[in-house]
Amino acid sequence: MAYSSRSSRRAALLAGGVAVLGLLTACGNDGAGSGPQKVSGTAGPATETAAEDPAPSSPSAGAATTGGSTSASAPAAATSSKAGTGTGTGTGSRTPAGGRCHTSELRASVGRNDPGAGQENFPVVLTNKSARTCTLHGYPGAAFVNASGGQVGPDPRRSSGSPVTVTLKPGQSAWAGLTFSNPEVSGADTATPAALLVTPPDERDQLKVAWTAGPVPVSGNSSSAFLSVFSPGTGA
């Protein structure tokens, strides 16, 4: 009986140990299984997002816009530079061919008087004597001088007007009006100049034209002469 009782207890202990071992093994297997399942579950969606999400292209576009990517922004800068060059060339091509007329390329003359309402009106004419096309823009300069070259009276003043660019091909002319009050009407003091000096717009050298139209006002009432802007033609 004592033997049977001891054997029974040993069998019971062995069975209990087996049960506990089985329980520990089961718990260990559950823990090991849950670890790989979590890794697999996280990696799966991440892999799908990388394959389907277009987000990888966004940083490149953003870098080009913000200048964060040198390689992306450099071609854009080069294109802009070429476009700017094209625009500058276009603007330059609208500039009149030949540029302004220089004094050495012009011939000056004074046309016939066209009096009216107590005024004397003369066209001061510049003709392109060169072989190239050039332009005049604005007012001429002018001064009456005596035989010794001394100035007679004040410089003519500018009358109101809107300057335009006059293009002169070889042989073509432009004219500006020279106007002053008739001294016999105004009562101004007069002098008779020997010549009229004419300076083309934006030039310093002068052209000398013999003056044969008689006395001009130099002081007193209505003694000022006036010049208008250049217009195409001879004013005849």
Side-chain angles (χ1 to χ4, degrees), residues 84-169:
T85 302
T87 302
T89 302
T91 302
S93 65
R94 290 194 292 269
T95 302
R100 78 171 189 269
C101 300
H102 299 294
T103 303
S104 61
E105 299 172 309
L106 299 169
R107 180 176 65 252
S109 61
V110 176
R112 186 177 58 185
N113 184 21
D114 183 20
Q119 297 289 318
E120 309 299 325
N121 305 295
F122 297 88
V124 177
V125 182
L126 293 181
T127 301
N128 181 6
K129 67 177 185 178
S130 74
R132 73 180 185 102
T133 298
C134 59
T135 60
L136 294 174
H137 182 90
Y139 296 83
F144 291 109
V145 294
N146 58 28
S148 301
Q151 184 166 338
V152 175
D155 291 339
R157 299 164 62 184
R158 292 179 176 181
S159 59
S160 60
S162 298
V164 297
T165 299
V166 181
T167 300
L168 300 181
K169 294 180 179 180

Side-chain angles (χ1 to χ4, degrees), residues 3-85:
Y3 179 80
S4 297
S5 177
R6 194 179 307 132
S7 298
S8 296
R9 288 196 300 271
R10 187 176 296 173
L13 289 172
L14 180 61
V18 171
V20 171
L21 180 62
L23 181 60
L24 291 174
T25 302
C27 291
N29 289 338
D30 288 342
S34 63
Q37 286 175 3
K38 286 183 180 180
V39 172
S40 177
T42 302
T47 303
E48 292 172 2
T49 301
E52 298 176 4
D53 192 351
S57 63
S58 297
S60 298
T65 302
T66 61
S69 172
T70 303
S71 60
S73 61
T79 302
S80 177
S81 176
K82 290 180 180 179
T85 302

